[in-house]
Amino acid sequence: PNANVSETTDEYIIELAAPGMEKDEFKVEVIEDVIVIEGQHDEKKEEHDEEYHRKEFKTTSFKRSFRLPQSVITDKVDAKYSHGILKLTLPKREEAKSIGKKLIKIS
């Protein structure tokens, strides 16, 4: 799925577009310095009529991973699923919040 990654002073935010899924169809793990997001959605349809019987199924799955900076507090990662968007909030360590930005001049 498509992903948006953004940063604020206090945290990083990863948003994944996954419409039609349920929150229990996701698996989110932090393995060393990588966050791994997996999802699997199974859809089944069945129709009966006097003349025919139709049964269809569809499985949609994905796996995305993102390398995390050392400034992330991996024990406090939060995940929420609402309106087709899985939102992960990755808080920063205090020392990373005070690092200023520097504008690089292009020559």
Side-chain angles (χ1 to χ4, degrees):
N2 292 331
N4 290 328
V5 180
S6 58
E7 179 182 5
T8 68
T9 305
D10 299 326
E11 61 199 10
Y12 299 97
I13 299 167
I14 300 172
E15 295 176 306
L16 285 146
M21 295 186 71
E22 299 293 328
K23 68 179 184 178
D24 61 345
E25 296 175 322
F26 295 101
K27 178 181 174 186
V28 179
E29 290 181 299
V30 175
I31 304 168
E32 294 183 12
D33 63 343
V34 176
I35 189 161
V36 179
I37 306 153
E38 296 180 65
Q40 181 170 327
H41 177 69
D42 298 317
E43 190 175 320
K44 297 176 184 174
K45 292 182 182 179
E46 195 168 337
E47 290 183 31
H48 297 278
D49 196 341
E50 291 178 12
E51 298 178 13
Y52 68 91
H53 176 84
R54 185 173 100 184
K55 192 173 192 178
E56 294 183 20
F57 63 93
K58 177 174 101 173
T59 298
T60 304
S61 64
F62 69 88
K63 184 175 185 177
R64 297 283 311 256
S65 59
F66 301 89
R67 184 164 305 280
L68 299 175
Q70 291 180 345
S71 59
V72 171
I73 306 171
T74 56
D75 295 343
K76 295 190 178 180
V77 173
D78 183 51
K80 290 186 176 24
Y81 181 69
S82 179
H83 304 290
I85 304 292
L86 177 64
K87 180 178 181 181
L88 305 171
T89 305
L90 303 101
K92 292 181 182 178
R93 298 183 191 286
E94 282 301 317
E95 59 271 15
K97 294 178 186 180
S98 63
I99 297 173
K101 292 184 180 181
K102 179 181 177 184
L103 182 61
I104 307 298
K105 185 177 178 181
I106 300 172
S107 55

